[in-house]
Amino acid sequence: MTQQDFIPFQEEKKATSGEVTWQSPSNIALVKYWGKLENQIPANPSISFTLDHCRSTTTLKFSPKKEISTKDSFDFKFFFEGKEKEDFKPKILKFFERIETYCPYLKEYQFEIYSENSFPHSSGIASSASGMSALALCVMSLEREIFPDIEEAYFNKKASFLARLGSGSASRSIEGPLVVWGEHENIKNSTDLYGEKFPYQVHEIFKNYQDSILLVDKGEKQVSSTVGHDLMHGHPFAEVRFKQAEDNLSKLIPVLESGDLSEFIKIVESEALSLHAMMMSSQPYFILMKPNTLEIINKIWSYREKTGIPVCFTLDAGANVHVLYPDNHRTEILEFIKNELVVYCQNGHYICDQVGDGAKKL
Ligand code: DP6
């Protein structure tokens, strides 16, 4: 498919007023997206586990505008956890501007958007993936009111395509359990335009993989991801990094099929550290890990060495640690977290999540 395929061409049916609610999850990348080109095109392909419990729930209320004179601007109010939030509006306005070509009906409506997250607002967990994918799905439900013949596959692809224009990683939150975004020569149908479900055999062990998110630092992000991605332009290691991500994704294909956890761990941990190595070696440079991030990583390594249990970590662009492990070791790992890792979490907070199936309409 090309971007042109997402521009509606059918006969419009006028939608009446209404509302729709979607719940969409966060995701955790195994091979990281870090660096992008114009129009939210990723510099390298990435793959993530879709999460289950960390979700945004978004309601879009819509009604056709009555005044023709007001149809040259976007009209929306945004409420976060019940309160109107002006400071979130610029991000949504930018999203509407980016998707307008593909959703030319948007200016004909008045919107109220209500959003909330299942995870605490100040947890350091980025809500852009869950929030933008939930909003993109709401827009697609409106589109379905206007063009009732839309097919399910097109609905999901376009939802991911729109979500990507809001936030790159959001393109990977529509479906589950594993989603690839970005063209990769060994992955059929992979594309830079939207996320696709990983199309090959996946070993049982990954279907309910656990992710315990240790909240090391709940503060505002030191570097926004937009600024972070930008630092890959002119980065001395950029080309090698993009190639490394492609190679890691190639290596992950047979590993996901066979369930070879020792290879899985090598790829996933190396990706996390490479992401942070990029930040440390950019200009300007950043260290987003905190001392407690390193304490946790070292504890995980010695626990794995001592017990042989295949637990590993990954990181986003922040200090929090995602502890990944198979469900059949849940009891021991939760004990380990309580006994040895909780002391490194801010106020002892952590969130237990697992791999999920993607967004749901409520
Ligand atoms: C480190 O998707 O937040 O989490 O496209 O600018 O919104 P924008 O960036 P974003 O970047 C996420 C980067 C990452 C790695 C990943 O999720 O692949």
Side-chain angles (χ1 to χ4, degrees), residues 29 32-34 36 40 128 166-169 172 225-226 229 275 316-317:
K32 309 288 179 181
Y33 147 56
W34 198 243
K36 59 177 161 182
Q40 296 285 101
S128 66
S167 177
S169 55
R172 300 188 310 238
S225 44
T226 309
H229 288 290
L275 168 71
D316 266 345

Side-chain angles (χ1 to χ4, degrees), residues 255-301:
V255 168
L256 289 172
E257 182 172 358
S258 66
D260 179 345
L261 293 184
S262 82
E263 280 309 304
F264 177 78
I265 288 171
K266 280 187 209 157
I267 297 167
V268 168
E269 291 190 343
S270 152
E271 271 292 315
L273 295 178
S274 297
L275 168 71
H276 282 255
M278 289 302 112
M279 301 177 203
M280 289 192 234
S281 51
S282 58
Q283 201 55 261
Y285 39 79
F286 297 95
I287 302 182
L288 298 188
M289 289 188 265
K290 297 281 183 205
N292 282 351
T293 313
L294 292 177
E295 294 285 357
I296 291 169
I297 291 174
N298 280 311
K299 288 276 179 188
I300 291 175
W301 283 346

